[in-house]
Amino acid sequence: MTRPPLRPGAGAGAARLAEILRVDHAGELGAVHIYRGQRAVLGQAPGRERIAGQLEEMEGHEARHLARFESLLAERGVRPTLMSPLWRLAGFALGAGTALMGEKAVHACTEAVETVIGEHYAAQVEELSVREPELAKELSGFRDEELAHREIAIEEGAREATAYPVLAAVIRIGCRTAIRISEKL
């Protein structure tokens, strides 16, 4: 997914950077809450220690990304998305819902979300590589961690989840919609 060139006019670059930071903060916020929802269901379940540990580790990565975006928003004077309360709730509900469907659905959720986020970060890295090279490098590192999450999910059987094609498609559409909304609001 290639981003169109920057809009012309004074302040266009700053406005676009604000969109990038806002949407990335929103995405990491949603991811933290997805993992929290999944851990709320699976975290203490007998025999689920392995997946609970995986979820806790991945949530830790997302929490670190979120903290960095919170710092960047403050440093750059960018407000978070107005949708933050909804994304917290939606993320937790998606996490808990997929956990209730079983471990394969949890991994399908991770695979679907991280596929979209990997593409999203890749486009941002390309867009920012010249005018914000340090930020682009940081986003590239975040993308690599997100793609590692996706690979773990695939190895753990994400694509074996019941109704995987439908589940993954719905989650991907939801992620892409949340991205567009969060950039603007």
Side-chain angles (χ1 to χ4, degrees), residues 24 28 69 117-125 139 142-143 146:
D24 290 353
E28 299 298 347
F69 283 113
I117 299 309
E119 293 166 356
H120 180 70
Y121 272 142
Q124 289 179 341
V125 167
L139 296 182
F142 291 172
R143 179 203 58 218
E146 306 294 359

Side-chain angles (χ1 to χ4, degrees), residues 104 107-109 111-112 157-169 172:
K104 301 290 186 196
H107 293 305
C109 177
E111 187 267 341
R159 296 176 179 160
E160 298 167 23
T162 302
Y164 167 79
V166 174
L167 178 62
R172 286 184 185 123

Side-chain angles (χ1 to χ4, degrees), residues 12-173:
R16 177 65 188 134
L17 184 59
E19 288 177 354
I20 288 170
L21 296 177
R22 182 172 23 263
V23 73
D24 290 353
H25 174 265
E28 299 298 347
L29 178 72
V32 164
H33 284 82
I34 289 170
Y35 288 119
R36 285 183 183 166
Q38 290 170 336
R39 288 189 335 116
V41 173
L42 296 175
Q44 302 302 315
R48 304 288 176 103
E49 295 81 11
R50 183 167 178 272
I51 191 169
Q54 289 174 329
L55 296 172
E56 184 175 14
E57 182 177 342
M58 288 186 231
E59 182 185 332
H61 297 159
E62 306 298 356
R64 185 173 42 79
H65 300 172
L66 177 60
R68 180 61 181 134
F69 283 113
E70 287 174 349
S71 294
L72 285 167
L73 290 179
E75 289 168 16
R76 306 283 182 120
V78 176
R79 66 161 176 77
T81 179
L82 300 172
M83 302 299 290
S84 292
L86 180 59
W87 296 159
R88 281 184 190 96
L89 179 63
F92 191 90
L94 177 60
T98 55
L100 289 168
M101 294 170 65
E103 289 187 29
K104 301 290 186 196
V106 164
H107 293 305
C109 177
T110 297
E111 187 267 341
V113 169
E114 302 298 21
T115 296
V116 172
I117 299 309
E119 293 166 356
H120 180 70
Y121 272 142
Q124 289 179 341
V125 167
E126 181 181 335
E127 180 180 345
L128 295 172
S129 62
V130 173
R131 69 182 168 106
E132 291 275 349
E134 289 303 311
L135 180 58
K137 182 178 177 184
E138 199 166 10
L139 296 182
S140 181
F142 291 172
R143 179 203 58 218
D144 292 347
E145 286 184 350
E146 306 294 359
L147 294 177
H149 296 170
R150 183 188 71 186
E151 293 308 309
I152 291 167
I154 292 169
E155 290 169 11
E156 293 291 331
R159 296 176 179 160
E160 298 167 23
T162 302
Y164 167 79
V166 174
L167 178 62
V170 168
I171 293 170
R172 286 184 185 123
I173 290 167

